[in-house]
Amino acid sequence: MTTGLAAPLTARAGRPAASAQELGHAVRLDRVSKAFDSAAGRQLVLDDIRLEAAPGEFVCLLGASGCGKSTLLNLVAGLDRPTSGSVEVPFSRPALMFQDHALFPWLSAGRNVELALRLAGVARAERRDRAEELLRLVRLPDAYGKRVHQLSGGMRQRVALARSLAQGSDVLLMDEPFAALDAITRDLLHEELSRVWQERKLTVLFVTHNVREAVRLGQRVVLLSSRPGRVSREWVVDLPFPRRIEDSGVAALATEITGHLHEEIVRHARS
């Protein structure tokens, strides 16, 4: 068993490395477990996680608070290492987007995006054009010179999305990015994210507590059990895009998944 992050694949014997399509996955977790030491002793947070995301797939992760969803994203992002098992992201370092936009308030929206471009190695002469292009992509064509305090909550999250895309990764990790927004703004950002995902052909791992949000956005929904987090069940969301949060198909599948989530919460409370 390999422990830790696998290195990007390289060419062997004069042959090019396999593509993500040939491998069949853009993200792969193979028997991943994660434990932390605490005053109460060793705490197992994730246990024997086996999960893959295909290139261009949108996967939503659901589970009760404390089940290890954010820990899983941190492992995929390379911010932490598994206690056992392997995490493989073969072709690009993932971009990570949090619930808090984490924009620098002393910089304009455009400069926040440019900072990510700079860290990605984009030449200074190209950064402004690229930043403006990314802001247009998230429907903020006039926001380049605006400071963070001049932007609404939804606009800040769009800038945060543009900054994540500036990293140039094909894999986007999103940790409850819309949880703090009102329902109407969240609905609009669902539409924007779906559009950007399809245009950019991104692989997305999206953590949420909102079951309808998961069904609206995801091609697949993965339910994690309560601590320790294990893959309890998966659903393929066989509903056409574009989807609406109030669609009957979304509501029906969300009701089914909510029932299983409730069972997990009750089981954990009794254990």
Side-chain angles (χ1 to χ4, degrees), residues 160-254:
L161 176 57
R163 185 180 58 185
S164 297
L165 297 173
Q167 298 174 44
S169 178
D170 294 327
V171 177
L172 179 59
L173 311 176
M174 309 186 79
D175 195 355
E176 298 191 77
F178 309 141
L181 302 176
D182 64 85
I184 293 175
T185 301
R186 187 165 59 243
D187 186 63
L188 292 172
L189 286 176
H190 287 163
E191 294 179 4
E192 295 303 315
L193 176 58
S194 289
R195 177 182 57 81
V196 170
W197 159 63
Q198 292 177 70
E199 287 182 10
R200 289 294 179 104
K201 298 179 173 60
L202 299 170
T203 302
V204 180
L205 291 184
F206 187 100
V207 163
T208 180
H209 283 99
N210 188 316
V211 180
R212 282 212 186 193
E213 179 175 65
V215 176
R216 180 183 182 177
L217 292 172
Q219 294 176 297
R220 184 157 50 103
V221 176
V222 177
L223 176 63
L224 296 183
S225 64
S226 294
R227 188 169 295 194
R230 302 183 179 101
V231 175
S232 173
R233 186 159 178 172
E234 300 185 15
W235 290 263
V236 173
V237 186
D238 190 19
L239 298 170
F241 289 98
R243 300 173 189 158
R244 302 288 302 172
I245 204 90
E246 66 272 13
D247 288 347
S248 60
V250 171
L253 183 53

Side-chain angles (χ1 to χ4, degrees), residues 88-161:
E88 183 180 355
V89 187
F91 299 102
S92 61
R93 184 179 181 85
L96 185 57
M97 182 175 170
F98 299 99
Q99 179 178 337
D100 183 350
H101 56 77
L103 299 174
F104 294 111
W106 57 89
L107 296 177
S108 69
R111 292 293 187 185
N112 268 282
V113 178
E114 283 190 40
L115 180 59
L117 292 168
R118 176 185 174 188
L119 295 174
V122 175
R124 183 174 183 177
E126 301 175 30
R127 288 178 206 152
R128 172 145 189 168
D129 287 344
R130 291 279 295 277
E132 290 181 337
E133 176 189 348
L134 287 165
L135 289 171
R136 286 195 297 272
L137 179 67
V138 298
R139 304 285 174 87
L140 290 175
D142 303 317
Y144 181 91
K146 292 184 178 179
R147 295 297 180 93
V148 174
H149 72 272
Q150 297 176 292
L151 304 174
S152 67
M155 293 171 72
R156 292 173 187 176
Q157 286 302 83
R158 291 187 193 203
V159 175
L161 176 57

